[in-house]
Amino acid sequence: MGSAEGEQFPINVRPITTWQFCPYCAGRLEYREVFGRKRLYCPACGNVVFREPKVGAGVLVEKDGRVLLVKRAVPPQKGRWGLPAGFMEWDESPEEAARRECLEETGLEVEITSLYGIYHYTDDFRGPGIIIIYRARVTGGTIHPGDDAAEAHFFGPDELPREIAFQTNRIALAQWKEEVKRNL
Ligand SMILES: [Zn+2]
């Protein structure tokens, strides 16, 4: 069993190999086989560091056959468009996160109406994750971009911007476009 010190880590472990100490008891972590794969482990208290995917939530909001998109004002993928969405806070529900992100990025208050889809991604340098997209409808506010969004607009299925950020948005918007066309 190797220790966390001086060991060559496979690429998928690298981002947290700067962790040397257990977040629960401050014991020194080791890198060893636990539950079928190599993980950081604390021999002092038995804590296994399970790596988790990042979890994000967002909304698909339609108005007059158009979908609400925001232009990213910050990296990664700055300048590209996507659904209003963002990382969940650790202590909020996905529905709350989706509504909060929409309000922060677009100025629009929304009500969640149904689950639209759950998408896995691997194209963000901060690590792989899933994003939960809800259908939602506007209940208040006025459109005005904020937080990490530079612009917010509604786009028809044939007006979607060419520069879409992240594979999750490209997949969700292709799905939406197909549904809209099918229902015409
Ligand atoms: Zn510990």
Side-chain angles (χ1 to χ4, degrees):
M1 293 298 156
S3 81
E5 276 180 305
E7 180 154 349
Q8 274 301 107
F9 293 95
I11 192 162
N12 64 340
V13 177
R14 214 170 275 153
I16 58 162
T17 53
T18 49
W19 287 24
Q20 293 184 56
F21 301 102
C22 174
Y24 298 104
C25 80
R28 185 169 279 279
L29 293 170
E30 291 184 0
Y31 184 57
R32 62 160 74 163
E33 189 86 12
V34 194
F35 298 123
R37 69 187 282 182
K38 285 210 163 184
R39 307 173 194 272
L40 288 172
Y41 172 77
C42 175
C45 77
N47 172 40
V48 178
V49 180
F50 288 102
R51 300 194 61 188
E52 291 128 358
K54 304 286 288 182
V55 184
V59 289
L60 187 132
V61 178
E62 284 175 293
K63 199 172 92 178
D64 306 323
R66 296 185 151 116
V67 66
L68 178 61
L69 298 182
V70 294
K71 189 179 190 176
R72 295 182 56 78
V74 294
Q77 311 256 320
K78 183 180 173 181
R80 293 185 168 210
W81 293 82
L83 297 167
F87 290 133
M88 279 174 60
E89 296 288 354
W90 70 277
D91 57 351
E92 68 184 344
S93 72
E95 293 88 349
E96 284 169 346
R99 290 173 49 238
R100 173 181 57 72
E101 288 289 345
C102 187
L103 181 61
E104 288 174 358
E105 295 185 347
T106 72
L108 295 175
E109 290 161 23
V110 295
E111 175 185 79
I112 305 292
T113 55
S114 64
L115 178 64
Y116 188 73
I118 298 173
Y119 307 88
H120 182 244
Y121 63 83
T122 56
D123 62 344
D124 189 318
F125 72 89
R126 294 167 293 188
I130 60 167
I131 187 152
I132 302 166
I133 299 293
Y134 295 97
R135 269 192 195 278
R137 65 177 189 87
V138 177
T139 55
T142 50
I143 198 159
H144 110 83
D147 195 40
D148 50 4
E151 292 180 51
H153 297 292
F154 284 89
F155 293 88
D158 293 320
E159 308 162 342
L160 294 175
R162 202 173 306 171
E163 297 286 288
I164 301 291
F166 303 119
Q167 64 198 59
T168 47
N169 284 306
R170 290 192 285 276
I171 292 167
L173 288 169
Q175 179 187 338
W176 174 75
K177 189 173 174 174
E178 200 182 295
E179 284 171 6
V180 171
K181 297 271 178 180
R182 201 188 308 139
N183 294 329
L184 278 180

